[in-house]
Amino acid sequence: MNPISVLHIDLFQAGKNTSDFYFNTMKSHLVLGHRHIEKPHRHDFYAAVLFTKGTGVHEIDFQRYEVSEGSLFLLSPGQIHSWELSEDIDGYIFFCSQEFYEMHYVNQKLRNFPFFGSVSFPRKLQLNAQELKKNMSLFKELGEEHQAKKIMKEGLILSLMSQIFINAARLFSKDFDTMDSAAGLSYFKHYQDFENLIEQNFTKHKSITHYASLLGISSKHLNRIAQTVVQKTATDVITERVVLEAKRMLMYLDESLVEIAFRLGYEEYSYFVRVFRKSSGMTPTQFMRKYKA
């Protein structure tokens, strides 16, 4: 089985000195990188893609999203993605390394943004006309600044990126407008802590009671938090993280299905298959046939 390729920013830089930040229009980006991005691949950087014209399908971690005017995608390092886009596609795209952003914003981490810190958050925002106009202006200014040679250039680039990320975070969390702001922030913080614990423990612990205990809250309250933040039960969040890892392993590890199940903490392969099928709608074997093809 061929491993999933991991793409680095300098692959797209065409001889430029910096490998920490990249910006391009979608038309130019596809001409530069089309040979790399039609097949599933991973990045070692954070990315934002705004489509302003055209249609297609963008698949991120095996979730299919429709592409149309106003589709904004935000991707984290390690996610597997690919796309099929129409000939008239256009828009903007930028990448940045974690170091580029966080060396300048000591108290702001990229993972603090919900779409970068959570594997359960959707990766797509569908912008309305007003939101699209606002984001197009920010992306356009970001591209112009990237090409310019002016003082404090890096500072303005970082500021524009932050505006794009903050606007997106507000749109993702607009359902919290009806809640008390302190309660909303508390829910986000608890949910982020929950996902951090899952990342550390999901191969060993899959019980909601285990994570609720670590967080010092009841299982009922943890469910309420998960359903409010991502519209899923806490158990679904745990299971989907395990199944996502299983899919990634099936794609890039040359190991048997039984070995992968054991790595993920399942001693009974048949139970692993049932969990995988219930979550994804197909067996591990069917999944491999689909994505290897």
Side-chain angles (χ1 to χ4, degrees):
M1 187 186 303
N2 293 327
I4 298 296
S5 59
V6 179
L7 306 187
H8 310 283
I9 295 181
D10 52 10
L11 181 67
F12 300 93
Q13 293 291 24
K16 295 183 179 179
N17 293 329
T18 179
S19 61
D20 291 323
F21 181 79
Y22 165 89
F23 183 95
N24 214 334
T25 64
M26 279 305 299
K27 279 188 175 179
S28 296
H29 178 73
L30 291 171
V31 170
L32 174 66
H34 71 279
R35 64 187 181 280
H36 305 294
I37 55 188
E38 291 173 346
K39 294 182 179 180
H41 63 279
R42 313 172 89 175
H43 299 151
D44 65 350
F45 47 81
Y46 291 85
V49 188
L50 176 64
F51 290 98
T52 60
K53 185 181 178 183
T55 58
V57 175
H58 190 182
E59 186 165 298
I60 306 171
D61 273 341
F62 316 105
Q63 176 70 42
R64 289 171 67 86
Y65 298 95
E66 294 296 323
V67 172
S68 61
E69 179 184 350
S71 295
L72 173 63
F73 293 92
L74 298 136
L75 289 83
S76 302
Q79 290 191 297
I80 296 172
H81 86 122
S82 61
W83 51 37
E84 297 176 12
L85 304 171
S86 61
E87 292 294 326
D88 63 338
I89 205 75
D90 206 355
Y92 304 98
I93 184 169
F94 69 81
F95 311 148
C96 76
S97 68
Q98 181 176 335
E99 292 76 13
F100 178 76
Y101 190 88
E102 295 182 1
M103 278 184 64
H104 297 272
Y105 289 112
V106 178
N107 296 319
Q108 174 66 290
K109 306 297 183 185
L110 283 166
R111 280 183 56 82
N112 290 346
F113 295 107
F115 39 82
F116 289 146
S118 168
V119 296
S120 296
F121 262 76
R123 294 293 148 176
K124 174 189 171 185
L125 274 171
Q126 188 59 44
L127 307 178
N128 62 32
Q130 182 180 358
E131 293 161 352
L132 175 57
K133 183 178 179 181
K134 181 177 182 179
N135 274 274
M136 285 178 65
S137 177
L138 290 170
F139 272 83
K140 185 177 180 181
E141 186 177 356
L142 182 59
E144 291 170 351
E145 189 63 24
H146 180 51
Q147 295 296 326
K149 295 181 179 179
K150 298 180 179 179
I151 62 169
M152 304 182 74
K153 168 181 175 177
E154 199 167 86
L156 185 53
I157 286 175
L158 289 160
S159 174
L160 291 165
M161 287 170 55
S162 291
Q163 289 182 65
I164 291 167
F165 295 154
I166 291 170
N167 287 337
R170 289 178 175 178
L171 290 173
F172 269 120
S173 61
K174 61 185 177 183
D175 291 339
F176 284 81
D177 290 346
T178 57
M179 296 178 59
D180 174 77
S181 59
L185 289 172
S186 175
Y187 271 41
F188 268 123
K189 180 64 168 63
H190 272 103
Y191 184 79
Q192 191 171 51
D193 290 342
F194 173 44
E195 280 215 333
N196 287 338
L197 288 170
I198 293 173
E199 286 299 312
Q200 299 167 25
N201 298 284
F202 69 83
T203 60
K204 296 179 181 178
H205 300 287
K206 300 171 177 64
S207 165
I208 180 177
T209 55
H210 175 81
Y211 293 101
S213 176
L214 290 176
L215 291 166
I217 59 178
S218 68
S219 297
K220 184 177 180 180
H221 188 48
L222 180 54
N223 254 327
R224 186 183 301 116
I225 290 169
Q227 289 175 330
T228 302
V229 177
V230 293
Q231 294 78 55
K232 299 174 183 177
T233 68
T235 297
D236 285 341
V237 173
I238 298 165
T239 301
E240 287 178 9
R241 181 63 187 93
V242 177
V243 172
L244 172 59
E245 194 66 20
K247 290 176 177 178
R248 289 174 173 176
M249 293 171 77
L250 289 168
M251 290 290 286
Y252 65 81
L253 289 184
D254 189 17
E255 294 185 0
S256 71
L257 297 177
V258 174
E259 289 173 322
I260 287 175
F262 186 76
R263 273 177 175 257
L264 293 171
Y266 294 98
E267 295 185 3
E268 294 185 20
Y269 174 67
S270 60
Y271 181 63
F272 165 70
V273 173
R274 289 200 299 274
V275 171
F276 190 100
R277 180 190 292 160
K278 184 178 180 181
S279 178
S280 64
M282 66 183 82
T283 67
T285 301
Q286 290 169 333
F287 172 83
M288 289 177 65
R289 286 173 181 163
K290 176 181 178 180
Y291 282 92
K292 284 182 71 175

